[in-house]
Amino acid sequence: MTTAALQTVLTVPARFRGPAGVANGGWLAGTLADALNGKRSAVEVTLHAPTPLDSELRLEHVANTVSLYDGDKLLVEAIPVAEDVPAPPFVAFTEAARAEAGFAGHRGHAFPECFACGLREPGDGLRIFPGPVDGEGLVAAGWRVPFAVADEDGVPVAVVGAALDCVTGWAHFQPGESALLGRLAVQFHRDVIPGGAYSVVGRATGREGRKLFGESAVYEVDGTLVAAARATWIAPR
C-alpha cells in the first residue's frame, strides 16, 4: 500500500533571500521543520538545489518526510532525527552585542542582501552580525527581534531558523569568504518574542575537504536555550 502525498503550495517572498535571487537556507529549514512536526523534535533539512523566490513551489508531505519541489525538481527535504541538536555555550547578551564590532562581514560580505546576516535596513532583515568572542572559540551577536518579522501568532519558526543559519558560517568565514548551506538540523525549544533580546552564538566544529561544520544556538538573556542548529556548508571550489 502506498501513502498518499499531502501537497500544498509554498511561495518564498523575496524578502527572505540569502544569496541574491534565492531563498535563505535557514528560513527554508524552519519552514519545512514546522511543516513536518512543528516544535516537537529535531529535524534535519537538506538543501539539494537553490530555491527560487516569488515562485509557486510544491510542498509535499509523505509519511515522515516533507519535500519542496519546483516542478519535478527536488529543492529541499526534511526528515525527523531522534537525537537532540547540540548547542554551543551561552554568551551573555551584552558580551554578544560587543562581539558584533568584529563581524567579518563589515569588511567584506559575499551576500550583503541576506535576510539573516546581510546589511539590510533595520526592521527589514534580522541584521545578525556575529563576531568573535575573546578567548572562547565562539562567534556571537545580540539579536533584538524586529516587530516587523512577526505575524499574528508571533515570530515564525522560519525566522528563528534564519537566525540559526548564517552564524554557523561566520564561525569559519574571513572577510569576503562564503559557502553555501548544504544541510541544517534544527530544534526549537521555546518561542521567540517580538521585540525581545537574545544571544545568537555559533562555533566551528570541523572541516572535511570543502565541507565546513558548525553549531549555533539562540539563548534568552538568562541563558535559557531557545533553539539550536547543526550545519554543513559547502565551500566553493
Side-chain angles (χ1 to χ4, degrees):
M1 182 177 70
T2 59
T3 302
L6 175 63
Q7 298 183 5
T8 56
V9 173
L10 174 68
T11 299
V12 183
R15 179 186 186 187
F16 301 121
R17 59 193 178 274
V22 299
N24 175 272
W27 189 93
L28 287 170
T31 297
L32 267 69
D34 193 35
L36 181 61
N37 73 359
K39 301 177 183 177
R40 290 194 297 274
S41 63
V43 174
E44 184 177 85
V45 180
T46 302
L47 289 81
H48 294 277
T51 295
L53 303 167
D54 291 330
S55 300
E56 288 195 353
L57 308 171
R58 188 174 82 256
L59 192 66
E60 189 170 282
H61 195 157
V62 181
N64 64 341
T65 66
V66 171
S67 303
L68 185 65
Y69 292 88
D70 185 4
D72 293 329
K73 182 179 182 180
L74 175 63
L75 302 174
V76 189
E77 185 177 26
I79 61 171
V81 291
E83 71 275 8
D84 288 337
V85 175
F90 171 62
V91 174
F93 179 82
T94 53
E95 187 176 5
R98 283 197 300 269
E100 294 175 27
F103 176 51
H106 287 318
R107 290 169 284 149
H109 201 312
F111 304 128
E113 297 183 11
C114 177
F115 173 67
C117 69
L119 311 177
R120 303 263 289 266
E121 290 298 318
D124 179 34
L126 300 183
R127 294 175 60 86
I128 296 172
F129 302 144
V133 178
D134 289 344
E136 299 294 334
L138 304 170
V139 294
W143 181 28
R144 293 193 180 276
V145 183
F147 285 94
V149 302
D151 58 25
E152 62 274 11
D153 297 319
V155 178
V157 170
V159 171
V160 184
L164 290 165
D165 172 8
C166 302
V167 61
T168 60
W170 288 109
H172 289 272
F173 302 156
Q174 297 300 311
E177 290 184 340
S178 68
L180 293 177
L181 186 67
R183 180 170 290 151
L184 193 69
V186 292
Q187 188 170 15
F188 304 99
H189 300 281
R190 299 172 67 88
D191 292 335
V192 167
I193 306 303
Y198 297 86
S199 295
V200 180
V201 185
R203 65 179 170 191
T205 57
R207 179 166 190 157
E208 184 180 299
R210 293 170 54 222
K211 293 182 178 180
L212 312 175
F213 305 103
E215 297 171 351
S216 63
V218 175
Y219 286 99
E220 294 183 353
V221 292
D222 65 357
T224 300
L225 180 63
V226 173
R230 181 181 65 243
T232 301
W233 295 77
I234 309 298
R237 293 184 185 278

